[in-house]
Structures are given as structure tokens and as C-alpha cells.
Amino acid sequence: MPPAEDQPAPLVDSITVISDTTVEVKWHDHSPSRFHTFWLRYHCHCPDCKEVHSGMRRIHPDDVPKKLTLKTAEINDGFLVVVCHEEVHSIRQSLHWLKTFSYSKEDLKSRALERNVVYKTDDIASFEFDKICQSEDIYFEWLQAMDKYGLALIKNVPCEDGKVVEVGEMVAPVYETLYGKVFNVVSKAKVTNIAYLEVPLEFHQDLPYYESPPGLQFLHCIRLDPSVEGGANVFVDVFHVAEQLQREYPKYFETLLKVPATFQKIHDDGKRPSHFVYQRPHITVNAQGKVTGVFWNAQAEGPLQVPEEMVEPYYEAYFKFAALMEKSPSRIVYRMQQGECVTFNNRRMVHSRQAFKLNGGVRQLQGIYINVDDFKNAIQTQYLKRKSGQLVKRIGNQCYC
Ligand SMILES: [Fe+2]
Ligand SMILES: [Zn+2]
């Protein structure tokens, strides 16, 4: 996240050379940060090293001397300026930038805390469609609700064919998949996905057999006849469930980090045959052991293909995880009304649908997806626009931060 350069430079009490290769900056109102010469050199912000407009690095790894020992380090007009013995080059970084990207233990920890998701136990945060369209602040609140809680609802979205594409494009370009740009969930006789039947659906995420499964999923209820019974959606925050497994059953958690499940989508409807197979563990974590990704879709699982000694431990862990999901306190049941659109993070919320009966009526949903990183970008750029240093939550895209 780039620093707010138009703010006054952070105050520095002192700078101290700690070793040949390390300088310590003592911030006035903050714990000290230590910086290494290679780190400073390779991230030098002078115009020779960094392209001014794109912010991209101009130097090659070979341009950096293999040894870099400190000669001088001083603060000059809001910049830390460092010179090393091995070259004639003034390494420059703004104090803003250094404070923003300080990698002291405390700073790494406080940034990681800021990325923690929030678990919602009451109703879904809901928004009026026309207000989202008219007010950037309301639009931003809606994005934040999806960021914090993984789920939000928009009311009074006009029940027009393809309107959901317009709703999606307020965030980012629609992520087209094997189901096309917009998918219809309506009951029909010969189906390529069980979502089109009246049967209940188990908890799942959509398209876990993609390298990058969809981030946001929007489902717009464009028609729901009064005769239709049932069909409520159920959402569970699978990050919450994974963290519970980590706390209460660490051995099972470890197993689900290591053993790859198989996710697949194989069918041939004659028009566009599909043969997607992707093996990945159900849970991923970052270097601090925080959950960064969960993949779950029992209905789209293919044959487990792992060494035989892993098979039984895998299923033990798998069934425990599934059981925790079923009774998770993060469970939210919501039956959408005509004109409503649920917008949720497919990487974080597993969803299911209760059975329904059409009784001669029609139930039609239209859906779209948004790529997870496009979603993250939409929120972070809003924070920047508002000159807020706030960070997006862990969003399920397996990013380490
Ligand atoms: Fe789904
Ligand atoms: Zn430079």
C-alpha cells in the first residue's frame, strides 16, 4: 500500500548504525525499525532505480554489488539517504515509505492483525441498489461489508435479464468461466450442474477446480413466483470453521494442509465439453500459520489420488471439518426475495441451498463472478482514494500478507 506522500513526513528521533549492514530508524511515536543495506539498495527510490510514473524497478539484480557495507546514513528533507562503501550511489527512501513498509516484528504483527477477518453473527449487512449507485460512500460501505464479513445483500435490484452484470461491473470486470459471463440457475430437465435441480445443495464453493476459483459471487433473484416453497440459501464462514479446526483439532488441520484433494468438473454436453481437474489441499496458511485459503466442494470432488498411508488420516480430518461446518455458529440462512441480490466472497463463504418445490411456478436466479484479486483491488483503491492507510482483510486468495 503506497504511503500518503502529501502528509507531513513522520518524525524521526535518531538513526543508528547497528552493524556494517543494518541501520536503525527510531521513530518519534513508534517502535524502531531496522533496515538492511541490500533491502534499502534493492528498493532504492531514486529515479535511476525506480521508474517515476509506473513505480517499477529499473535495476537488475546484477546491478547490486554482492557486498554492501554502510558508509553514511542520514535524514535529508524527509528521506533516509544511505551511501555504502562499495559503490558511488545515494540510496534514497522517503520516511513515509519506510514507515509504511517497515518490517520490524511489531509492524508485521500489527499489519497482520489488521488483515484479520470479522465474524458476523447477526443479520446480513444489506444495502439499497439505488443508494449504491448514487453514493460512492454507500458503494464503499457495501465493499467493506463484503471484505469484513464475506457477505452482503442488495435490495431492489431491477429484475431485468443481465442486470447482475451491471451490478458486478460496479466492482470489476465480470470473471467469465465455463458457465459463461452470466449463469442462470433455473430448473430444467437435462442439467449439467445439480444446482439446476430442486434437490438441496451441500456446502460448497463454486469452481474449486480452477487455479483461481471465483472471488465474488453475485446471485440475483430475478423471479420468484409465490407458489415456490423453500430454496433458502445457507452461508457458513469457512475461515471461521478452519480456524476452529486449527484450535481444536490441530492434527486434522495439519493433514488438510498437506494432503491434496481432487476437484473436478467433467462433462460433455456436446457444445462445450469440460475436463477440469485440479489437486490442492483443502486449507492453505501463510508463514505465520494464518488461514489464507480454503477449498471445499464435496460435490465436485474427484478420486483422491494420494499415497495409501494418507488415505485414512485424510478422511478422518475431512469428516471432522465437514461436521464442524454443519454446526458452525457462523451459519446464516437467508431466503432471497425477488429483486434481491446476494453478494459474497466465494473464497470465504461456503454456501448451500435448501430444497425447494416449484409447485408450477418459476424460481430464477442469475449469477456472475468477480476475480478475487480484482475484488481486493477495488477495496484497496477505495482506501487509497480516501487517504486511509487501512488494509484489505485476508480475502482467501492465498496471499501471504
Ligand atoms: Fe454454488
Ligand atoms: Zn537509486
Side-chain angles (χ1 to χ4, degrees):
M1 176 205 40
E5 293 287 357
D6 52 352
Q7 307 280 313
L11 290 175
V12 170
D13 284 347
S14 62
I15 51 170
T16 315
V17 172
I18 299 288
S19 75
D20 263 9
T21 57
T22 320
V23 59
E24 182 178 86
V25 176
K26 208 160 195 181
W27 309 104
H28 185 62
D29 56 352
H30 203 256
S31 54
S33 310
R34 291 180 177 188
F35 300 101
H36 296 83
T37 48
F38 278 118
W39 188 93
L40 292 168
R41 178 66 182 93
Y42 207 38
H43 294 300
C44 180
H45 275 47
C46 84
D48 289 339
C49 298
K50 189 180 162 188
E51 215 274 314
V52 177
H53 296 292
S54 67
M56 293 177 83
R57 178 179 285 150
R58 296 180 61 155
I59 50 173
H60 186 271
D62 283 350
D63 298 339
V64 179
K66 300 299 166 273
K67 193 177 173 210
L68 275 177
T69 51
L70 282 163
K71 188 175 175 189
T72 58
E74 59 184 16
I75 303 293
N76 192 341
D77 200 20
F79 280 77
L80 172 69
V81 182
V82 165
V83 178
C84 292
H85 288 288
E86 291 75 14
E87 60 174 357
V88 185
H89 189 96
S90 292
I91 306 169
R92 287 169 61 82
Q93 269 96 13
S94 79
L95 295 176
H96 272 300
W97 189 87
L98 286 172
K99 197 166 178 187
T100 305
F101 296 102
S102 151
Y103 50 94
S104 71
K105 209 171 160 186
E106 292 76 11
D107 284 327
L108 291 180
K109 198 174 160 192
S110 73
R111 264 175 253 146
L113 277 175
E114 213 182 310
R115 293 211 184 263
N116 278 349
V117 295
V118 179
Y119 297 119
K120 194 158 173 63
T121 48
D122 50 5
D123 288 346
I124 308 177
S126 79
F127 301 86
E128 285 293 326
F129 179 64
D130 58 354
K131 296 223 166 73
I132 291 178
C133 297
Q134 288 155 12
S135 157
E136 201 175 351
D137 287 343
I138 307 278
Y139 163 76
F140 179 52
E141 279 177 31
W142 166 55
L143 286 185
Q144 278 189 303
M146 290 190 284
D147 181 29
K148 276 204 239 165
Y149 313 124
L151 171 68
L153 180 77
I154 312 180
K155 295 184 175 215
N156 295 311
V157 180
C159 294
E160 294 161 16
D161 185 42
K163 189 74 184 176
V164 69
V165 173
E166 223 179 276
V167 184
E169 284 172 349
M170 291 198 290
V171 181
V174 166
Y175 184 40
E176 194 163 345
T177 69
L178 83 155
Y179 294 105
K181 189 170 182 180
V182 54
F183 53 91
N184 277 282
V185 186
V186 275
S187 290
K188 45 186 176 183
K190 224 179 172 185
V191 298
T192 54
N193 191 305
I194 60 169
Y196 305 144
L197 297 172
E198 292 178 48
V199 298
L201 287 177
E202 301 304 321
F203 283 123
H204 67 280
Q205 291 159 313
D206 283 16
L207 282 68
Y209 38 83
Y210 270 50
E211 190 273 340
S212 181
L216 293 183
Q217 177 170 176
F218 291 7
L219 286 173
H220 179 205
C221 182
I222 60 170
R223 185 164 167 195
L224 186 69
D225 289 354
S227 68
V228 179
E229 293 174 89
N233 284 106
V234 188
F235 298 92
V236 160
D237 192 331
V238 81
F239 268 43
H240 186 271
V241 182
E243 288 177 4
Q244 187 186 355
L245 188 77
Q246 187 175 29
R247 272 193 319 274
E248 296 174 12
Y249 303 93
K251 252 182 93 174
Y252 290 157
F253 184 80
E254 286 299 314
T255 300
L256 296 187
L257 292 184
K258 286 188 200 119
V259 183
T262 305
F263 295 103
Q264 68 180 36
K265 177 71 185 162
I266 300 174
H267 78 255
D268 188 354
D269 63 1
K271 284 180 285 179
R272 195 193 244 181
S274 297
H275 199 289
F276 293 85
V277 179
Y278 201 100
Q279 294 188 349
R280 60 180 6 136
H282 289 286
I283 303 174
T284 61
V285 291
N286 65 11
Q288 290 78 41
K290 286 275 186 189
V291 174
T292 57
V294 181
F295 302 93
W296 189 264
N297 188 331
Q299 295 136 113
E301 273 172 30
L304 185 68
Q305 299 282 281
V306 298
E308 54 189 54
E309 66 277 11
M310 288 183 174
V311 172
E312 284 172 340
Y314 169 79
Y315 281 115
E316 246 184 89
Y318 176 97
F319 290 126
K320 177 54 78 181
F321 192 40
L324 292 179
M325 220 175 283
E326 289 297 329
K327 50 182 191 220
S328 172
S330 70
R331 180 188 183 93
I332 289 178
V333 182
Y334 189 77
R335 186 174 188 265
M336 258 194 288
Q337 300 302 306
Q338 190 169 299
E340 292 184 336
C341 182
V342 282
T343 64
F344 62 97
N345 183 350
N346 180 60
R347 297 294 191 95
R348 191 178 142 190
M349 309 302 286
V350 285
H351 58 287
S352 66
R353 187 200 60 213
Q354 296 173 346
F356 60 92
K357 273 204 158 53
L358 293 175
N359 298 319
V362 174
R363 176 188 188 270
Q364 187 182 6
L365 308 182
Q366 283 194 331
I368 54 102
Y369 301 120
I370 302 284
N371 174 278
V372 69
D373 297 300
D374 284 334
F375 167 43
K376 186 176 175 182
N377 178 62
I379 303 163
Q380 194 64 73
T381 49
Q382 277 287 326
Y383 282 135
L384 288 172
K385 198 171 168 185
R386 286 152 202 273
K387 304 205 184 304
S388 158
Q390 205 168 329
L391 302 168
V392 180
K393 305 289 180 199
R394 279 178 294 119
I395 215 155
N397 67 345
Q398 302 178 75
C399 175
Y400 263 55
C401 59

